[in-house]
Amino acid sequence: MHSDGYIGVMSETPLDLVVRGGTVINPASGLHREADVAVLGGRVVAIGDGFRDVPARRTIDAMGCLVVPGLIDLHAHVYASVTPLSVDPDPLAARSGTSTHVDAGSAGAATFDGFRRFIVAESRSRVLAFLNISVIGLAAMPECGYGRFVDANECLRVAEANRDVIVGIKIRASRNAIGEDNTAEPVRHAVAVARAAGMPVMMHLGDPPPTFEDGLAQLRAGDIVTHAWKGQPITRLVERDGSVKPEVRAARDRGVLFDIGHGSGSFNWGVAKQLASHDFWPDTISTDVHTASIRPPVSIDMPSAMTRLWHLGMALDDVVAAATSRPAGAIGWGDRIGSLAPGQLADIAILEVSHDPVTITDSYGVAERVERSLVARTTIVGGAVLERAPA
Ligand SMILES: [Zn+2]
């Protein structure tokens, strides 16, 4: 008999939920073995096999499946009906094992109140946000409006007033965000707000201006570069010869995090293979899910994004960490989500490993045959199963 967690006082109290018989991978504790996960009052109360006789209101058989912390998508767009690219979080969460979407700048200071009322409060899945440095968020582009819509004071005020939801500041370091005649100035504003708020910046790597080097140079330990596996020659992480750019090595050495942010324009099999050959793996795996990337041929979701990195040779436990404990840590939520340790919120993903070969297309139309893939079976948020919409 062995359990992580205290079960004695509860032996008279039925558990709310037991996820039974799966292979639990909990990167935060290094656990990777068959075990049951017990849930009571919306939290994980024990992991192990010492509570087989404790009654439970609901039991889910996870035999043959992986049981991992609920997936955390660090780069999603879920301000549906307000920004043109956004999707509804709950149906996506239910079918993808994703218990938490972190919206990447769809809302800005002027539009955040609606995001909070109509998306965060109305969703059964967890929704957090990076607040755009532009006050209009992604309501229209270029969202920084040649600098006119960048308001560092307003951004900081709204971030401070909503710290329970806002976990960082978003800037798209890109020509189509800032405007052709501008520089890295909006990136500096985003970094200044983030520093004042004690939050990370998430910087989107895009077409210059600003240049790759100008943008990256602004980032500090804990800041996040998203769309980092893209293929455009000027913004990719690798040199012409396939080696990792020295600026990228230096940024990682000082603690900057590199995120996938797959989307419909930001994951390239060729660059990914070059990075893998140098053992350069993402800190976090995210989707940049939006109305285009969610559809074929890319069809991105969290299990599919994780499958791509697993296929490239990233160790399974690292793949799971990059989709759970590491994004939780990156946004300062590691004490609540991203782990199955007792006391954590009971966000759980049950995944199957499929051995049916599939063809996976990157953001550049290149197809790759993949022999095994992760497929979501069940999403649990705060101990409650998110039921899937009928197909
Ligand atoms: Zn995005």
Side-chain angles (χ1 to χ4, degrees):
M1 171 158 148
H2 172 84
S3 287
D4 300 324
Y6 186 63
I7 204 83
V9 293
M10 303 184 317
S11 54
E12 302 299 312
T13 312
L15 294 163
D16 290 330
L17 172 69
V18 176
V19 179
R20 210 179 283 286
T23 298
V24 175
I25 301 179
N26 187 43
S29 63
L31 187 72
H32 184 147
R33 70 175 176 86
E34 192 182 313
D36 300 342
V37 180
V39 173
L40 183 66
R43 292 182 185 271
V44 174
V45 289
I47 298 176
D49 50 14
F51 42 92
R52 291 271 153 107
D53 300 328
V54 179
R57 293 190 179 88
R58 181 166 183 177
T59 299
I60 297 177
D61 179 4
M63 286 265 281
C65 293
L66 304 178
V67 177
V68 304
L71 306 178
I72 301 169
D73 191 345
L74 197 61
H75 184 158
H77 293 284
V78 295
Y79 200 175
S81 303
V82 172
T83 69
L85 284 173
S86 283
V87 301
D88 274 330
D90 277 355
L92 175 61
R95 66 176 186 264
S96 68
T98 308
S99 50
T100 302
H101 288 105
V102 187
D103 186 276
S106 300
T111 62
F112 185 78
D113 189 48
F115 184 82
R116 186 171 183 114
R117 284 178 65 189
F118 303 122
I119 306 297
V120 177
E122 298 295 323
S123 299
R124 296 187 64 218
S125 54
R126 254 176 250 294
V127 179
L128 301 171
F130 287 90
L131 186 68
N132 207 304
I133 187 66
S134 156
V135 293
I136 66 168
L138 297 178
M141 296 176 191
E143 70 269 20
C144 293
Y146 306 91
R148 246 168 255 137
F149 293 142
V150 174
D151 187 332
N153 284 322
E154 261 307 278
C155 187
L156 178 59
R157 183 186 69 75
V158 171
E160 292 281 19
N162 295 278
R163 298 189 76 96
D164 56 331
V165 174
I166 295 174
V167 295
I169 307 301
K170 177 78 188 294
I171 172 72
R172 295 197 313 123
S174 172
R175 178 186 198 86
N176 74 349
I178 293 168
E180 296 82 348
D181 59 1
N182 219 301
T183 62
E185 205 59 26
V187 180
R188 294 192 189 98
H189 284 274
V191 172
V193 171
R195 181 187 295 174
M199 294 175 178
V201 166
M202 174 181 272
M203 187 186 83
H204 150 132
L205 268 190
D207 291 325
T211 64
F212 176 90
E213 293 79 3
D214 275 357
L216 196 56
Q218 310 303 321
L219 302 186
R220 316 146 301 158
D223 290 338
I224 302 150
V225 178
T226 190
H227 301 319
W229 267 245
K230 68 197 311 168
Q232 283 85 336
I234 290 180
T235 43
R236 64 192 180 197
L237 300 194
V238 294
E239 303 276 19
R240 191 178 173 80
D241 66 4
S243 61
V244 180
K245 287 179 175 170
E247 298 92 331
V248 171
R249 294 266 188 214
R252 175 162 272 185
D253 287 348
R254 70 176 184 273
V256 173
L257 305 176
F258 289 87
D259 174 58
I260 292 289
H262 190 295
S264 54
S266 301
F267 184 84
N268 182 286
W269 280 124
V271 166
K273 287 176 184 177
Q274 287 171 326
L275 289 167
S277 76
H278 294 287
D279 216 21
F280 192 97
W281 300 105
D283 295 288
T284 52
I285 297 173
S286 69
T287 63
D288 186 24
V289 68
H290 55 65
T291 50
S293 62
I294 202 171
R295 289 198 304 259
V298 173
S299 305
I300 199 67
D301 64 10
M302 282 298 287
S304 174
M306 294 162 74
T307 293
R308 292 163 208 232
L309 275 300
W310 194 22
H311 170 73
L312 288 162
M314 192 173 181
L316 180 59
D317 287 33
D318 287 340
V319 168
V320 173
T324 59
S325 54
R326 288 202 220 129
I331 58 173
W333 274 61
D335 58 343
R336 282 156 277 182
I337 58 175
S339 165
L340 295 175
Q344 290 263 320
L345 295 170
D347 291 5
I348 303 167
I350 304 177
L351 307 176
E352 289 172 19
V353 177
S354 165
H355 291 276
D356 296 333
V358 290
T359 299
I360 294 186
T361 304
D362 70 6
S363 312
Y364 298 78
V366 175
E368 173 94 358
R369 184 183 152 97
V370 172
E371 301 296 330
R372 59 182 180 185
S373 39
L374 297 170
V375 179
R377 201 175 90 179
T378 306
T379 310
I380 298 166
V381 180
V385 175
L386 289 189
E387 302 298 347
R388 294 188 190 213

